[in-house]
Amino acid sequence: MILDGKCPKGPIQTSWDRHRFDLKLVNPANKRKYKVLVVGTGLAGGAAAASLGELGYNVEAFCYQDSARRAHSIAAQGGINAAKNYPNDGDSIYRLFYDTIKGGDFRAREADVWRLAQVSNNIIDQCVAQGVPFARDYAGYLDNRSFGGAQVSRTFYARGQTGQQLLLGAYSALSRQVKAGTVKLFARTEMLDLVVVDGEAKGITVRDLITGEIRTHVGDAVVLATGGYVNVFYLSTNAMGCSVTANWRAHKKGAFFANPCYTQIHPTCIPQSGDHQSKLTLMSESLRNDGRCWAPKKKGDNRHPNDIPEEERDYYLERKYPSFGNLAPRDIASRAAKEQCDDGRGVGPGGRGVNLDFSAAIKRVGEHTIRERYGNLFEMYEKITDENAYKQPMRMYPAPHYSMGGLWVDYNCESNVPGLFVLGEANFSVHGANRLGASALMQGLADGYFVIPYTIANYLAKTKPGAVSADHAECKKSVEDVKAYNNRLLNINGKKTVSEFHRELGKIMWENVGMARSEESLKDAIKRIPVLREEFWNNVKVTGKGEELNQQLENAGRVADFLEFGELMAKDALHRNESCGGHFRVEHQMPDGEAKRDDENYCYVGAWEFKGVDKEPELHKEPLTFENVHLAVRSYK
């Protein structure tokens, strides 16, 4: 099937404005008749629920955390992009659009990216009005800093806790609607199935994580804003609760999964310290504004970094990419760090690290200024490593961080299942094969505040409100299916823990489908994952019962989904016989080691249709056309 993204025709500069006018509206009195289910309360979901509630819709919002303000968006550190051009350094909506298309290695839709760049400025105004404490300069104006993949300073920030401050802004807007009665909030509730009636999304089946109750909530539309899936690697920068479950259960009900092989490896994370670890810690990309990445020139140089003289240091990003230097995009910076370590010049235990050095910046602007910019990040680093990064370099190594792939959606953020809308990291739409730093928060808030309030109306206006009730046959079947699935997990009574299986899967994925991939490694993963999955369903030990608080059962369901999703991810990576962005096939690289795209054969979105476990999924394609940015070799040199 050739998929239609339903992008507006005509000049891209007016595409979103013209499209909004063409969308159908729901009048204020009729909005009160509709119910929208929003799954996830991070920046995308929280902003969507608050905005839809403000408009007058009845909204039910769900999160598995104990509070909506604990969504993983809170962990974002460095900033949020917008084309305000306050520094007067040459930025514009078009430049943000261009940088995002190029940063994604020409694997994103032009129309979606233009809209993102256009509404970015509205996001900053919205958040300032909410009281988000963005950093300000000496005169009191909003400050900006630079970020990877751009030569302008367009990133607004709140020290190293931008995600937390933005989420608190969205949470305050959400709380206002909860008080007003337009939003009902269900915390400690996990979506385990999508209810599809006559081909349209009309509800979700959830498990109350406190009581274990399985129940269905019905509505007129469903919005998924459930984040990314890089915990398929086991060790990642994501919170341990982040999973593919909501997306995967929707996928099994007919929603296409687009570009699952597009995952982002972040170049500045604290290296793994041992097998006991359950997650990795991100150090914001903003640190590369003032920190310089280097490795010793000599192999096996184990001297203290302060004892290695300047002439014996290889500032490899500045050497390889002089135009962008330490602000090279994440995929490129990650591979460059791995190259140093693979060459035997890594630092720290096991040689899996590079230095991120602030000595030059401290000498230039003073330690006080660096503390003002990044103080909480330095504190976090010291608590974890017991090292003072003001006195010696940080040690960094790449780690799984973000999912560019996700459920397929059209320009309205609607999946191929009518009535199912997907926002933020959970969809695939704007980041292509590599996300530029500080663009995740931008997408989440753009989708939630400024896209879904318009586009969902176009669907609802053609829908009869309250058409499905909780006693519908599909709702009852969904509840029974979820109960049976959970009971199956509880009754295996094997000998290995859920974490053991997750760790084994993560090792397969990282070694074979990680930063570098090959035909051989991907075929190995596709061979080994079904074997591990079969062992899981015969030998996993899930203690406790279903009718109680049972985190073992929660984790078992999530890992079971990863064991199916990981195979699809490897198959997508195998079929895409090119390198682009974070998808790096070692067989396809330029003479200088950069990614080698194949635009003639792979300039499309690959969206997969579920056909059953242990059955081959079906590939559908959406061709990508570039009329405003010409396809070119992506270079940051």
Side-chain angles (χ1 to χ4, degrees), residues 294 301 303-315:
W294 64 272
D301 192 337
R303 288 177 290 175
H304 190 281
N306 291 350
D307 295 334
I308 299 177
E310 191 76 10
E311 62 272 13
E312 295 182 36
R313 302 178 178 186
D314 178 14
Y315 293 93

Side-chain angles (χ1 to χ4, degrees), residues 16 38 42-49 51-52 80 112-113 115-117 119-120 123 223-226 402 407 409-414 421-431 439-456:
W16 175 230
V38 179
L43 288 184
S51 300
L52 295 173
I80 177 171
D112 294 56
V113 176
R115 176 175 62 191
L116 178 68
V119 305
S120 67
I123 297 170
V223 177
L224 294 188
T226 51
Y402 189 86
L407 292 187
V409 293
D410 62 17
Y411 188 70
N412 291 327
C413 288
E414 187 174 15
F421 295 80
V422 191
L423 310 182
E425 189 177 0
N427 77 31
F428 86 98
S429 62
V430 294
H431 302 303
S439 286
L441 306 185
M442 177 173 61
Q443 184 203 1
L445 292 179
D447 286 356
Y449 283 139
F450 300 111
V451 177
I452 195 65
Y454 292 96
T455 61
I456 201 169

Side-chain angles (χ1 to χ4, degrees), residues 340-391:
Q340 314 313 307
C341 298
D342 290 348
D343 191 38
R345 296 186 293 112
V347 301
R352 307 311 289 179
V354 294
N355 292 312
L356 185 61
D357 195 336
F358 293 87
S359 57
I362 290 173
K363 186 176 181 180
R364 185 179 71 253
V365 299
E367 185 176 316
H368 175 73
T369 300
I370 298 299
R371 284 184 185 276
E372 283 187 336
R373 293 174 180 172
Y374 317 107
N376 63 307
L377 297 170
F378 278 65
E379 291 168 14
M380 185 163 63
Y381 182 82
E382 186 167 9
K383 284 180 180 178
I384 293 171
T385 65
D386 197 29
E387 295 175 5
N388 185 342
Y390 296 108
K391 305 300 180 185

Side-chain angles (χ1 to χ4, degrees), residues 321-354:
Y321 310 101
S323 294
F324 283 75
N326 293 293
L327 292 176
R330 291 177 176 178
D331 58 323
I332 288 173
S334 293
R335 285 197 295 273
K338 182 176 183 292
E339 284 174 10
Q340 314 313 307
C341 298
D342 290 348
D343 191 38
R345 296 186 293 112
V347 301
R352 307 311 289 179
V354 294

Side-chain angles (χ1 to χ4, degrees), residues 14 53 99 104-105 108 114 128 266 268 279 295 301 390 493 586 619 633:
T14 57
D99 286 347
D105 215 353
W114 177 270
V128 169
H266 198 293
T268 51
K279 76 177 298 295
D301 192 337
Y390 296 108
N493 201 27
V586 296
L619 176 64
V633 176

